[in-house]
Amino acid sequence: MQLESLKMFCDVVETGSFSRAAQLNHVTQSAVSQQIRALENRYEQKLLSRSARQVTPTPAGERLFRGCKEILARFAEVEQEIREQATEVQGATTVSTIYSVGLHELNAVQKQLLKTHPKVNMRLNYRRNDQVYDDVILGAAEIGIVAYPQPRAGVDILPFRDDKLAVVCAPNHPFASKAKVSVTALSGVPFIAFDREAPTRKALDRLFREKNIDINPVMEMDNVETIKRAVEMGLGVAILPLATAHAEIKANSLVAKPFAEGPVSRPIGLLIRKGKYLDRASAAVLDAFKQAALIPHDD
């Protein structure tokens, strides 16, 4: 029994037609019929039910079809692996990422990838946290990047790095003259917050509850860029990943202060679909993330 026979059988089941399966395999309809008969003789039972309108699998045929699809899919992966080993790594890999990390923290990854695999292209999709999980699970992205990664069915989580958080304010705000800012000093101060569904917002809300701090969110926004603009305008203060505000701090449009209680950070994780085979391009991108994680983070 050859793989070609199994493929023809699967094509008949999927198309419901001997003639269409023959076209797909560039053989005659008679050749397809012969292969099916050989399979039925091998298993000593009918695998297909033939009617005037369509061909459908019998219960035994349905079981064989499921098994054959798995075999053919795995064989295709093995062939791809063998072909790739003989060539330079190249291709494109889609990475779905939350905005704050994708816009501000992937330079080291891009540089590492360009250094080791210049023909591999990392395509970024900017998504909300929950959408990143969906993209990875549904196969729309090979790799996902989220803050505060949470276990979810069908996903493996790899640690990437921890983002240092800081109190961010306008240069003319009273906090700007302080060396450090206590979490308790935020009580009653106009606060620019992430929207309520953002993992960073949920984590900060837990911190405020633990400290019995009454926060006054005057605005709630869904991405770090709009929060920074509001803080620059003097509408309030915010708590942001320090890496996302480097440009504004350098331009003196924002000031960042560490917490008086000590460092506060948010974990960043990489998502991979459980059991997914990563082609060489995707594996190269994942390796670039791992190498970049070893580089000291510029806070």
Side-chain angles (χ1 to χ4, degrees):
M1 181 171 55
Q2 298 180 338
L3 287 174
E4 288 80 2
S5 298
L6 301 182
K7 183 180 181 303
M8 287 185 196
F9 172 74
C10 289
D11 288 340
V12 172
V13 173
E14 290 180 326
T15 63
S17 166
F18 278 79
S19 60
R20 181 60 181 145
Q23 292 173 355
L24 292 174
N25 290 275
H26 308 289
V27 297
T28 64
Q29 184 172 334
S30 175
V32 174
S33 297
Q34 291 175 14
Q35 294 292 341
I36 301 303
R37 278 198 301 272
L39 288 174
E40 290 180 330
N41 289 337
R42 178 185 180 89
Y43 296 112
E44 298 181 345
Q45 55 187 307
K46 287 291 184 181
L47 300 175
L48 297 173
S49 176
R50 301 159 178 83
S51 67
R53 299 182 61 184
Q54 194 174 27
V55 179
T56 57
T58 64
E62 180 64 35
R63 179 66 188 90
L64 180 63
F65 171 73
R66 293 197 301 270
C68 287
K69 291 296 289 185
E70 294 173 3
I71 292 169
L72 293 170
R74 182 57 187 140
F75 181 72
E77 290 180 358
V78 171
E79 280 196 317
Q80 181 68 15
E81 291 173 15
I82 293 172
R83 290 194 184 100
E84 288 179 343
Q85 288 173 0
T87 61
E88 183 180 3
V89 181
Q90 56 185 314
T93 294
T94 299
V95 176
S96 283
T97 174
I98 56 174
Y99 290 89
S100 57
V101 175
L103 291 173
H104 300 283
E105 301 187 46
L106 297 187
N107 281 342
V109 178
Q110 295 277 22
K111 290 178 181 178
Q112 180 67 26
L113 188 61
L114 185 61
K115 176 182 176 181
T116 57
H117 298 96
K119 293 188 177 181
V120 174
N121 179 26
M122 183 171 69
R123 297 173 179 166
L124 297 180
N125 284 343
Y126 296 98
R127 310 281 274 165
R128 292 172 64 88
N129 212 73
D130 281 348
Q131 292 172 326
V132 174
Y133 283 92
D134 292 340
D135 283 353
V136 171
I137 292 171
L138 297 175
E142 283 72 39
I143 299 170
I145 309 173
V146 296
Y148 299 96
Q150 298 295 318
R152 188 173 297 190
V155 172
D156 287 325
I157 298 172
L158 304 176
F160 178 44
R161 63 168 39 137
D162 287 337
D163 272 347
K164 186 180 292 184
L165 300 179
V167 177
V168 178
C169 64
N172 60 355
H173 192 278
F175 286 171
S177 61
K178 297 180 179 293
K180 298 180 179 181
V181 175
S182 172
V183 177
T184 57
L186 297 172
S187 181
V189 174
F191 190 76
I192 313 297
F194 285 99
D195 72 63
R196 295 177 185 273
E197 296 304 313
T200 302
R201 168 68 181 275
K202 293 178 178 179
L204 291 176
D205 284 347
R206 286 194 296 271
L207 173 64
F208 296 146
R209 286 195 298 270
E210 291 169 2
K211 302 288 186 180
N212 292 317
I213 299 171
D214 182 22
I215 291 298
N216 177 28
V218 293
M219 302 180 76
E220 296 178 344
M221 298 179 174
D222 65 357
N223 72 80
V224 71
E225 298 304 306
T226 52
I227 291 177
K228 289 189 295 183
R229 301 295 83 80
V231 175
E232 285 175 329
M233 294 170 63
L235 301 179
V237 303
I239 296 177
L240 296 176
L242 188 54
T244 67
H246 282 321
E248 290 80 8
I249 294 170
K250 186 175 181 180
N252 296 316
S253 65
L254 288 177
V255 176
K257 298 296 178 179
F259 290 94
E261 293 82 358
V264 177
S265 62
R266 68 171 187 173
I268 304 298
L270 305 178
L271 307 180
I272 306 292
R273 191 172 73 186
K274 192 177 294 292
K276 179 179 176 60
Y277 162 73
L278 292 180
D279 59 27
R280 291 178 75 201
S282 299
V285 171
L286 183 59
D287 186 63
F289 272 100
K290 293 177 180 178
Q291 294 301 315
L294 300 177
I295 301 172
H297 198 183
D298 181 17
D299 290 326

